[in-house]
Amino acid sequence: MSIDANAVVLERYNAKVFKNRKEHMLKVNPAEDQMIIANTRAIPGIMTNRGCCYAGCKGVVLGPIKDMVLITHGPVGCGFYSWGTRRNKAKAEGDTPNYIQYCFSTDMQEPDIVFGGTKKLKKAIDEIMELMHPKTIMIAATCPVGLIGDDIQAVAAEAEKEYGIRCVAYSCEGYKGVSQSAGHHIANNGLMKRVIGTGSYEPATKYSVNILGEYNIGGDGWEQERILRKIGYEVVSVFTGDGEVERIASSHKANLNLVQCHRSINYIAEMMKTKYGVDWLKVNFIGLEGTIESLRNMAAYFGDPELAQRTEQVIAEELAEVQDQVASYKARLNGKTAALFVGGSRSHHYQGLLQDLGIKTVLAGYEFGHRDDYEGREVIPNIKDDADSKNIEHITVEKDDKKYHAYLTQEQYDKLAAEIPLEKYHGMMRDMDEGTYVVDDLNMYEAEKFMEILKPDMFFSGIKDKYALQKAGTLSRQLHSYDYSGPYAGFKGAAKFGYDLCMGYFTPAWHMVTPPWKNCATLQGTVGE
Ligand code: CFM
């Protein structure tokens, strides 16, 4: 009989923690309708890998937009530690300004906490207007701002009047919600209310798409755009990697939304469908199989035989370029096992790429995914709203008669929806084998314990646990920053990923180092009475 790794991991906990953590773990059994608890508060005292609401709003969704100034209103640390730490690349091109290398903070001090920080925020806007004169300024609030009640909305409205710019303030204080996921939602709401639908850019072709939930980490977005343009698509906007305000403002004019990261942007995808009639298609440009399937689904959506033919031609060309390389990496990596623990979508997306390389996933989890990211979108109506999620504004939008344009007839839509993932996401669990493990909000102790039991050959996660895993002699790759490599998307990205894994896995470094405890006596001691 095979052991139940979850039971072994849970043994260590006291009754209260046991009861809580048990609901966040399961062993996959496709014969059962399995449910997992997710998007709930972390247990105080347990070191979670999650980030805060501000991180999700400022760092993740808004941060990559390059032609606007994003001010962190709060003590300087929040701005400083979210400065340049995510690898959302952006090009400085043409007349479009690129501000993402800057860090703007109001640097609140004790007197501002006591007497209010709005004056300082106003002054920061004045300085920015004088020095940089951007067309758009956004403001992201950190914890103390909400606690003292600074009216950042009023400051933003005043700046709009005074300077004739777009100025949007986000009350995304770190403590709102249970993770960065809350910040994604707040940022989605703000973009929907204040930006999308206001632009005047006109797409040049009917094969016009937006890529939603693609943040251009390590250049992933550029690689996707390259392939799409080669086929003949026009990418109207990207949310938000290397993104531009004007393009995002005009995104409602595209004919199809592609959703890469469902977790961070599904709200906008849904709202754009209701308000502007733009359908959304779940895609995954990570992995050869995923990329090919996504491209074919897109061609099926537009239903043009010429486009379909061009799609096949590009797939063949791109495959031919990387095929031998990928096959040689696969020959070396075949049969290896992997564990993945990333934010809210990559633990799923990378399983396909690993499979392309012959690597089997034995454990996967999200830091802050919701039940739908694990189980599929159809569970959304059954997810109970708790006090924490009620804290986040849910906006409802209505059909905009003037700007509404549906590319398909209802009949065409219904027919296609049965074939391709239109407004559907089936979640991570359904792609996992029987007997593999799914763990939500994995903590450091659990990561080490699962490593001990499952002994994966490689562990994909982030900087917070990278070195603990690596010191245990397991190949550890960061799937947030790609360990400063990438792009990993598309065909060429798959080859690059295989190369990096081979380099990591077969490095002789592990055999060259003699750990100090092998050469000298280990100190031993006991705790005195
Ligand atoms: Fe989406 Fe992301 Fe992710 Fe995410 Fe993130 Fe990221 Fe991530 Mo780090 S938006 S959920 S909040 S794919 S920053 S680009 S890698 S945790 S799995």
Side-chain angles (χ1 to χ4, degrees), residues 42-352:
I43 303 168
I46 284 189
M47 293 301 286
T48 168
N49 273 353
R50 287 171 169 178
C52 67
C53 178
Y54 159 78
C57 182
K58 189 267 181 185
V60 175
V61 178
L62 301 176
I65 304 174
K66 66 180 172 186
D67 58 344
M68 65 177 204
V69 166
L70 182 47
I71 306 172
T72 296
H73 184 37
V76 76
C78 308
F80 182 80
Y81 286 106
S82 57
W83 179 25
T85 44
R86 186 160 172 265
R87 290 188 64 226
N88 40 256
K89 296 186 165 204
K91 267 187 201 130
E93 267 176 332
D95 299 334
T96 312
N98 180 358
Y99 301 109
I100 69 166
Q101 66 272 44
Y102 292 97
C103 173
F104 301 92
S105 167
T106 49
D107 182 20
M108 280 174 99
Q109 304 281 332
E110 266 176 38
D112 308 314
I113 305 288
V114 176
F115 300 108
T118 49
K119 265 194 224 122
K120 221 168 176 186
L121 178 59
K122 172 80 182 65
K123 189 159 169 265
I125 294 172
D126 294 340
E127 274 175 27
I128 287 163
M129 288 313 296
E130 193 189 323
L131 290 168
M132 303 184 150
H133 24 81
K135 286 192 195 132
T136 305
I137 292 180
M138 293 200 188
I139 300 158
T142 71
C143 295
V145 173
L147 297 174
I148 64 174
D150 268 358
D151 190 350
I152 57 174
Q153 303 296 342
V155 177
E158 200 187 313
E160 291 204 327
K161 240 198 256 151
E162 186 175 343
Y163 293 110
I165 57 165
R166 187 190 326 246
C167 187
V168 189
Y170 295 82
S171 297
C172 57
E173 289 82 357
Y175 56 78
K176 283 199 177 153
V178 300
S179 70
Q180 54 266 62
S181 171
H184 301 154
H185 198 161
I186 291 170
N188 276 230
N189 289 348
L191 289 177
M192 194 67 203
K193 280 196 229 169
R194 295 295 319 279
V195 183
I196 300 166
T198 62
S200 55
Y201 173 81
E202 288 298 333
T205 103
K206 62 175 173 170
Y207 304 129
S208 52
V209 298
N210 302 306
I211 313 179
L212 270 56
E214 173 47 60
Y215 303 95
N216 203 30
I217 307 299
D220 272 357
W222 290 334
E223 188 52 17
Q224 290 164 36
E225 282 183 63
R226 183 188 67 78
I227 299 167
L228 295 180
R229 291 209 174 104
K230 196 170 167 188
I231 294 174
Y233 291 104
E234 175 177 1
V235 179
V236 175
S237 72
V238 182
F239 287 66
T240 51
D242 198 10
E244 293 169 35
V245 175
E246 175 55 23
R247 290 304 190 95
I248 289 172
S250 307
S251 59
H252 63 293
K253 298 184 184 180
N255 279 328
L256 180 64
N257 277 334
L258 309 173
V259 173
Q260 172 70 19
C261 170
H262 170 267
R263 179 67 270 133
S264 60
I265 209 94
N266 75 93
Y267 319 96
I268 282 179
E270 275 302 298
M271 289 189 278
M272 277 179 79
K273 163 80 180 180
T274 310
K275 190 166 180 185
Y276 303 113
V278 186
D279 293 327
W280 66 266
L281 176 72
K282 178 71 187 82
V283 293
N284 176 20
F285 289 111
I286 299 295
L288 298 178
E289 285 305 316
T291 303
I292 293 170
E293 195 188 317
S294 301
L295 294 175
R296 287 190 177 144
N297 288 343
M298 288 173 67
Y301 179 85
F302 286 102
D304 171 355
E306 223 171 274
L307 187 75
Q309 201 194 357
R310 180 82 188 130
T311 300
E312 292 307 322
Q313 192 188 334
V314 170
I315 290 173
E317 272 172 34
E318 294 282 325
L319 263 184
E321 224 178 292
V322 300
Q323 215 149 252
D324 293 350
Q325 231 180 319
V326 173
S328 82
Y329 302 139
K330 184 175 179 177
R332 280 175 251 188
L333 296 165
N334 208 14
K336 304 276 181 282
T337 57
L340 299 107
F341 178 56
V342 209
S345 84
R346 294 189 170 179
S347 305
H348 185 194
H349 290 151
Y350 274 81
Q351 290 189 34

Side-chain angles (χ1 to χ4, degrees), residues 406-425:
Y407 185 77
L408 302 175
T409 63
Q410 190 60 43
E411 199 186 328
Q412 285 171 322
Y413 179 91
D414 293 340
K415 190 171 165 280
L416 262 180
E419 294 159 17
I420 62 174
L422 271 177
E423 270 120 78
K424 275 192 209 89
Y425 172 49

